[in-house]
Amino acid sequence: MIFVLRVAVAVSLVVPIAVAAQSPSRMADTKAVEAVLSEYKAAIEKLDATGTERLFATDSQIFETGGSEGTYATYLAHHLGPELAAFKSFKFSDYKVTVRFEGPVALATESYRFRIEPKTGAVAERLGVATSVLRRVGGNWKIVSMHNSGRKPKGA
């Protein structure tokens, strides 16, 4: 019984040290992943996706509201780019992000509201969610897979 208590005490002293030793590195990774997502979001709000290709792996896959959009390069050329050109404004609000790690990949979940004002047509206000998988590529976190969807808020 005393041996079991000694082991428990020893483990309780070592585990916090091991967790604390990993914490700054993992916290830095979390901040880096959040920065990638924040930079992408800021580009959307500026209606200018120039340079966002570097935030995505070349073999990335984009899924949006029930459809496969292909790689980010394809999505940007055939969907996102033309959409942004048709908008007068795009604003996010109530933005929240959580990041967790599974081995060498980061899993990020974002929730938000967004408001799109097109150059012509009706304003669209939606609730949105996105799930992204990121991995290190050349020392930087890059989006490998992104799936986002939106819906009208209740009562809208």
Side-chain angles (χ1 to χ4, degrees):
M1 182 67 153
I2 292 177
F3 176 74
V4 171
L5 287 174
R6 285 184 183 165
V7 170
V9 169
V11 168
S12 69
L13 293 173
V14 172
V15 170
I17 293 168
V19 170
Q22 293 175 356
S23 186
S25 174
R26 199 47 95 188
M27 286 177 66
D29 285 338
T30 299
K31 294 294 181 200
V33 166
E34 289 172 349
V36 168
L37 299 171
S38 179
E39 189 172 339
Y40 181 67
K41 183 171 69 80
I44 301 300
E45 287 187 310
K46 286 188 275 183
L47 304 178
D48 183 2
T50 304
T52 55
E53 301 91 335
R54 66 182 175 68
L55 303 173
F56 291 80
T58 55
D59 62 344
S60 63
Q61 290 292 303
I62 308 300
F63 304 93
E64 186 176 273
T65 313
S68 177
E69 303 289 338
T71 66
Y72 181 71
T74 301
Y75 175 63
L76 180 59
H78 300 285
H79 186 121
L80 182 61
E83 260 185 355
L84 293 178
F87 296 158
K88 190 174 183 180
S89 72
F90 192 123
K91 297 294 177 204
F92 289 98
S93 63
D94 299 332
Y95 179 82
K96 294 179 183 100
V97 62
T98 60
V99 177
R100 70 184 176 99
F101 296 89
E102 293 290 333
V105 300
L107 305 174
T109 303
E110 301 165 281
S111 62
Y112 45 84
R113 291 179 169 272
F114 62 97
R115 183 179 192 277
I116 301 170
E117 186 177 347
K119 290 179 181 172
T120 61
V123 168
E125 293 190 27
R126 301 285 187 267
L127 299 173
V129 295
T131 303
S132 298
V133 177
L134 296 88
R135 74 169 184 248
R136 282 189 189 276
V137 177
N140 296 311
W141 286 98
K142 296 194 180 231
I143 300 167
V144 176
S145 177
M146 178 181 275
H147 182 204
N148 61 68
S149 64
R151 68 173 188 236
K152 288 183 179 181
K154 290 184 178 174

